[in-house]
Amino acid sequence: MITNHKFAYRNVASKYYEFRPQDIDKAMDDFRQILEGRGLHLSGNMFFSILSDPQSEIMIAEIFLSVEEDSIKGLVSPEEEIRFRSYFTLSPMVMTRIMKDFDLESQKKYWKLVSYLQVNHLEQATPVFIEFKNSLSGIDYVEMSIGYSINGDNYNFS
């Protein structure tokens, strides 16, 4: 468990999706296709937040993709409900890694994060964020993080 974790990205587009957990790849592909179809260039960073109960049959998530462009104005219509942030940062967070068996390990790791917050008297300040990563040696893994505050203080979200 890593505490005082932070992540930050530039030029991030996001969109809300509802789907069955096993269909998350379809939602991510849909978002990729929308952005690329509007002429945006993806810079490779993808993450999402789980906004619903992680055990729900239907998941509500906000999917984030970073793009090379510093604006999406004029490229995406308001009806598509895509949000854009020139800078996206979260801190402090508690984070854990999942190196394999994501489907099996994600529930265990989620409850370990929640338990860590409770044991250390920290308040959950954000939904769970999932980041897809790749090591220098080419190994894919996932980081799962939750933002926290101490008595409602010390949390930065922008």
Side-chain angles (χ1 to χ4, degrees):
M1 201 77 54
I2 297 174
T3 58
N4 218 10
H5 177 68
K6 173 183 179 175
F7 71 80
Y9 293 101
R10 292 183 42 122
N11 303 332
V12 177
S14 70
K15 183 171 177 61
Y16 291 95
Y17 281 88
E18 290 184 29
F19 51 86
R20 294 186 184 282
Q22 63 268 25
D23 294 331
I24 189 166
D25 289 338
K26 291 177 185 175
M28 291 178 180
D29 287 342
D30 178 70
F31 191 39
R32 261 191 223 107
Q33 288 175 9
I34 290 171
L35 295 178
E36 289 176 336
R38 302 306 177 269
L40 294 163
H41 300 88
L42 307 180
S43 63
N45 299 315
M46 176 186 279
F47 57 100
F48 67 96
S49 62
I50 302 171
L51 304 172
S52 57
D53 180 334
Q55 298 176 330
S56 293
E57 188 174 321
I58 300 297
M59 180 183 285
I60 300 169
E62 186 173 7
I63 299 175
F64 301 82
L65 276 165
S66 55
V67 297
E68 292 177 11
E69 291 77 9
D70 58 8
S71 173
I72 63 171
K73 192 172 184 170
L75 298 173
V76 177
S77 68
E79 298 82 41
E80 291 174 299
E81 298 179 338
I82 295 174
R83 299 177 68 189
F84 183 81
R85 297 166 185 93
S86 58
Y87 192 69
F88 187 91
T89 183
L90 294 167
S91 71
M93 302 182 88
V94 59
M95 183 270 290
T96 187
R97 287 190 179 99
I98 303 170
M99 300 303 292
K100 59 183 178 175
D101 300 323
F102 178 75
D103 292 335
L104 180 65
E105 292 296 316
S106 60
Q107 284 289 329
K108 292 178 193 175
K109 296 288 188 167
Y110 170 80
W111 291 112
K112 283 184 180 182
L113 285 171
V114 170
S115 175
Y116 180 88
L117 294 177
Q118 291 171 346
V119 166
N120 290 284
H121 309 288
L122 302 169
E123 294 179 36
Q124 184 173 340
T126 71
V128 175
F129 280 83
I130 311 292
E131 295 178 88
F132 297 99
K133 301 277 188 140
N134 187 280
S135 72
L136 294 175
S137 60
I139 298 171
D140 293 328
Y141 64 97
V142 170
E143 289 184 352
M144 181 182 286
S145 307
I146 299 177
Y148 65 87
S149 63
I150 303 168
N151 299 322
D153 295 333
N154 301 328
Y155 189 73
N156 179 31
F157 172 73
S158 58

